[in-house]
Amino acid sequence: MKILYHLMNTRENIWCERVFAPWDDFETLLRQHNKPLYALESGDPICDFDFVGFTLQYEMCYTNVLNMLDLGHIPVKTEDRKEGDPFVCAGGPCAYHAEPLAPFVDFFILGEGEEVNLEVMDAYSEWKRSGGTRTDFLLKIAKIEGIYVPQFYTVTYHEDNTVKEIKPNQEGVPATIKKRIIRDLDKVYYPDNLVVPFSDIVHDRIMLEVFRGCTRGCRFCQAGMIYRPVREKSPEVLTDCADCLMNNTGYEELSLTSLSTGDYSHFADLTDTLLEHAEQNRTNIALPSLRLDSFNLDLINRIQKQRKSSFTFAPEAGTQRMRDVINKNITEEDLLSSVKLAFENGWSGIKLYFMIGLPTETEEDVAAIGELAHLALDQYYTLERGNRPANPRITVSSSSFIPKPFTPFSWEAQDSIETIQQKQKVLGENIHSKTIKYNYHDSKTSRLEGIFARGDRRLSEVLYTAWKKGCKMDGWTEFFKYDTWLEAFEDCHIDPDFYTARTRSYEEVFPWDHIDVGVTKEFLIRESKRAKEAKTTKPCLTACNKCGADCFEAGICMKYKEG
């Protein structure tokens, strides 16, 4: 958001502002006084803007999109918008499979936005001068790579409710919409100045993007698939950018961000240079959680001058078989040796993240999570008293696995609420130490997320009905109304189990099959079959797996580097 916000405002003919969903108390005041939702910088109502854009990071925020449009006095449905109303657009990871939002969003921006957003703005300027209709503008931008206008595509269904076909209904509209990627990250725009808030906010620091994409190929991870290929920024560009941001903002912390930052090919050299520059600016360097197989305690000790209370690791599964199923490519030894190192060096707390409900998982696999947590705790007691911190703490957190589009698990059934709750019980019963704390994610929220993750356009009626019944802020426990959602499904005569409880065949047409993220369906099917055999696939930087991503032109896959 920060990149696109500042990029837009570098253009003389574009004025970009920010707006966020208000909390319930402020929404109440807006509605009481009939005051439209407004932008932060100018206070202008969002209905006065040419465009209103949303970033779709999480399916449970879909009702917020509808609610913000309504608060902004913008017709919620595209069919109700008239000439002069804003164009509503959306991007982000969920935009690749946001068919439930199709009747509410004029167009989606698929992929990285630095180039395509400006192309859309240029097209808008031309259209505005020509005096065309809303449809004229949408037809114009539908020809831009990375732009998806859902109203120009017709979806038909089989009698069994699966998708039969997705076809364009306008001439000149591409049958397949291809995502946009930035070819050279060293040359692409990155802000050298930022809006610095005067109150505490989330992520209140410099965010330095090191690279895009991920080579690891974890089969549950949508981001690792849709953000391919891997493209790095050079250490020189990153250092210059960091210096500018430290000098221009006065921030006291700089965080390195990427999907797997420890995989950056110049990681050690970059951090050495940044440490030197940061000390001169009295700025701290923050690292994201690192993978177990790239865990470098010496580096972390150099960066983190003040000892943090806990380390976070994500084994994801309790048995090696399950870690092979999901292609995690780490071992129990990796975890235990890293935990021991952390305890030896003064960290007293360890957080372990797992998923339950993974494909082929048994209750024995779930119970093994508890056993692994106890083995992690045992590493503390292998140390002599004088070499270990006081009050050790192990926190085990389990989220419910949700099959996501564009992953090898797209075809899998999702565990029912009852099955997940049983597995949560099994895991809890296999944790016997008071030193180990167990947290788990709400299974009802996970079910709804799974429904909308693989949903088709017919769910738009459910979404609209649930919102009219008062559903919003569904990602927040105090707002989530599961029973109201069930009423909405019943009112719309749609069975939620259709989207979660069944295994798909490889021949089934998905609601997102007209979207091209670069990774081919053939590769995902191949990985799906390997998962069922518990066979791992090597990371991209050690062997090309022919996933279909345009690595040879844009990325750093092994053959590209060697060539």
Side-chain angles (χ1 to χ4, degrees):
M1 186 188 72
K2 292 179 180 179
I3 294 172
L4 297 178
Y5 172 84
H6 289 281
L7 170 64
M8 296 282 214
N9 283 314
T10 62
R11 296 277 293 265
E12 291 184 1
N13 64 329
I14 301 174
W15 174 252
C16 180
E17 300 192 40
R18 299 162 297 162
V19 63
F20 298 93
W23 200 243
D24 189 51
D25 53 355
F26 189 55
E27 177 185 337
T28 299
L29 287 173
L30 288 174
R31 293 193 184 278
Q32 283 179 350
H33 295 276
N34 196 32
K35 183 175 179 63
L37 184 63
Y38 53 84
L40 289 182
E41 284 80 357
S42 66
D44 291 341
I46 63 172
C47 57
D48 289 348
F49 284 75
D50 296 297
F51 295 89
V52 175
F54 295 89
T55 175
L56 304 176
Q57 300 287 337
Y58 180 37
E59 291 86 352
M60 299 303 288
C61 287
Y62 285 179
T63 48
N64 283 14
V65 173
L66 275 59
N67 201 49
M68 289 178 70
L69 292 174
D70 186 60
L71 275 173
H73 296 183
I74 299 170
V76 172
K77 295 183 178 180
T78 58
E79 63 186 18
D80 295 329
R81 291 179 201 136
K82 300 178 177 60
E83 305 298 334
D85 284 330
F87 287 97
V88 176
C89 58
C94 292
Y96 293 114
H97 57 273
E99 286 298 289
L101 282 174
F104 314 108
V105 175
D106 291 304
F107 65 96
F108 292 96
I109 302 170
L110 307 182
E112 296 158 349
E114 289 96 331
E115 295 171 345
V116 65
N117 281 27
L118 295 181
E119 291 173 18
V120 169
M121 296 300 107
D122 290 340
Y124 181 78
S125 295
E126 293 178 8
W127 167 82
K128 205 169 185 179
R129 287 193 296 269
S130 71
T133 65
R134 290 178 69 89
T135 302
D136 291 336
F137 171 69
L138 293 173
L139 279 170
K140 184 180 184 71
I141 64 170
K143 299 172 185 177
I144 298 175
E145 184 176 85
I147 299 299
Y148 169 43
V149 183
Q151 65 183 269
F152 295 157
Y153 296 80
T154 300
V155 184
T156 54
Y157 301 89
H158 293 290
E159 289 186 4
D160 64 358
N161 286 324
T162 59
V163 175
K164 180 180 180 181
E165 197 174 37
I166 307 162
K167 291 183 64 175
N169 54 37
Q170 296 282 342
E171 287 188 15
V173 172
T176 301
I177 305 95
K178 188 176 181 181
K179 76 170 183 183
R180 289 291 288 266
I181 62 171
I182 301 299
R183 301 288 172 179
D184 189 343
L185 292 189
D186 276 351
K187 296 179 180 177
V188 73
Y189 173 85
Y190 201 81
D192 58 10
N193 211 334
L194 298 172
V195 173
V196 180
F198 50 78
S199 61
D200 289 337
I201 64 166
V202 179
H203 305 310
D204 195 11
R205 61 181 76 95
I206 295 169
M207 310 288 278
L208 191 65
E209 184 186 36
V210 177
F211 67 90
R212 294 180 185 177
C214 183
T215 71
R216 293 291 181 163
C218 297
R219 292 173 179 138
F220 60 84
C221 181
Q222 185 189 58
M225 299 295 168
I226 64 176
Y227 292 147
R228 294 185 182 202
V230 171
R231 290 140 296 145
E232 294 186 341
K233 293 186 179 182
S234 67
E236 296 78 19
V237 168
L238 288 169
T239 302
D240 289 345
C241 186
D243 287 341
C244 286
L245 289 169
M246 285 187 287
N247 292 329
N248 292 338
T249 66
Y251 268 122
E252 297 176 351
E253 184 171 275
L254 182 150
S255 177
L256 303 179
T257 63
S258 287
L259 288 178
S260 183
T261 303
D263 288 337
Y264 180 59
S265 60
H266 306 286
F267 189 52
D269 292 340
L270 174 66
T271 49
D272 284 341
T273 304
L274 288 180
L275 274 172
E276 180 183 339
H277 290 228
E279 287 174 358
Q280 296 172 3
N281 285 274
R282 298 181 180 180
T283 303
N284 295 321
I285 302 293
L287 289 176
S289 59
L290 299 176
R291 279 181 57 95
L292 286 165
D293 53 359
S294 61
F295 183 68
N296 187 328
L297 194 59
D298 176 61
L299 173 64
I300 293 169
N301 279 329
R302 285 159 48 212
I303 288 179
Q304 295 182 180
K305 303 297 183 184
Q306 296 180 337
R307 182 78 67 235
K308 288 190 174 182
S309 60
S310 65
F311 258 124
T312 299
F313 300 112
E316 307 294 3
T319 62
Q320 192 59 49
R321 184 190 73 83
M322 283 307 307
R323 287 191 290 274
D324 290 344
V325 167
I326 64 177
N327 205 45
K328 187 66 179 177
N329 280 316
I330 60 167
T331 65
E332 182 177 292
E333 183 181 351
D334 291 329
L335 172 65
L336 298 183
S337 61
S338 297
V339 167
K340 187 174 182 178
L341 271 174
F343 281 139
E344 280 178 335
N345 284 268
W347 274 268
S348 58
I350 302 294
K351 296 179 181 179
L352 302 176
Y353 287 170
F354 296 91
M355 283 185 290
I356 58 175
L358 290 161
T360 78
E361 181 183 73
T362 66
E363 287 195 0
E364 288 74 20
D365 294 313
V366 175
I369 295 174
E371 297 165 10
L372 187 58
H374 283 279
L375 289 174
L377 180 59
D378 289 345
Q379 303 310 302
Y380 174 86
Y381 293 106
T382 63
L383 305 176
E384 296 181 4
R385 286 185 180 273
N387 294 331
R388 65 194 191 196
N391 304 317
R393 304 180 313 281
I394 303 282
T395 302
V396 173
S397 296
S398 72
S399 61
S400 303
F401 166 71
I402 297 167
K404 290 295 179 100
F406 304 107
T407 69
F409 292 149
S410 301
W411 293 268
E412 300 295 331
Q414 182 176 340
D415 274 359
S416 67
I417 290 174
E418 295 75 19
T419 301
I420 289 293
Q421 290 176 343
Q422 172 61 21
K423 289 181 177 180
Q424 290 169 342
K425 180 181 178 183
V426 168
L427 177 49
E429 291 173 345
N430 279 272
I431 294 177
H432 310 294
S433 171
K434 293 182 179 179
T435 307
I436 301 175
K437 181 182 178 182
Y438 174 41
N439 301 319
Y440 54 85
H441 194 265
D442 177 53
S443 55
K444 294 178 180 178
T445 307
S446 298
R447 186 192 186 208
L448 195 63
E449 181 183 346
I451 291 169
F452 279 95
R454 291 187 291 178
D456 53 47
R457 291 191 186 186
R458 292 170 298 189
L459 285 182
S460 62
E461 186 181 357
V462 179
L463 180 62
Y464 185 80
T465 302
W467 168 68
K468 293 293 282 186
K469 288 175 174 284
C471 291
K472 62 182 179 182
M473 298 282 187
D474 298 294
W476 284 260
T477 304
E478 59 266 48
F479 287 98
F480 184 53
K481 302 175 181 178
Y482 184 65
D483 290 341
T484 304
W485 275 103
L486 293 183
E487 289 176 11
F489 277 102
E490 188 172 346
D491 290 350
C492 298
H493 308 290
I494 290 179
D495 180 9
D497 282 344
F498 174 78
Y499 298 96
T500 58
R502 64 187 183 87
T503 301
R504 281 81 167 153
S505 72
Y506 290 135
E507 292 74 33
E508 180 172 333
V509 176
F510 285 144
W512 54 88
D513 271 355
H514 55 310
I515 307 297
D516 179 6
V517 298
V519 175
T520 66
K521 206 170 186 180
E522 290 74 22
F523 167 74
L524 297 177
I525 290 173
R526 191 163 69 242
E527 283 295 286
S528 170
K529 292 177 179 178
R530 290 181 68 83
K532 292 173 182 176
E533 298 172 357
K535 291 182 178 179
T536 60
T537 299
K538 292 181 180 180
C540 300
L541 291 184
T542 60
C544 178
N545 297 306
K546 297 180 174 59
C547 69
D550 193 6
C551 298
F552 300 103
E553 182 178 345
I556 59 164
C557 82
M558 183 189 69
K559 292 184 178 180
Y560 178 82
K561 290 176 72 176
E562 291 181 348

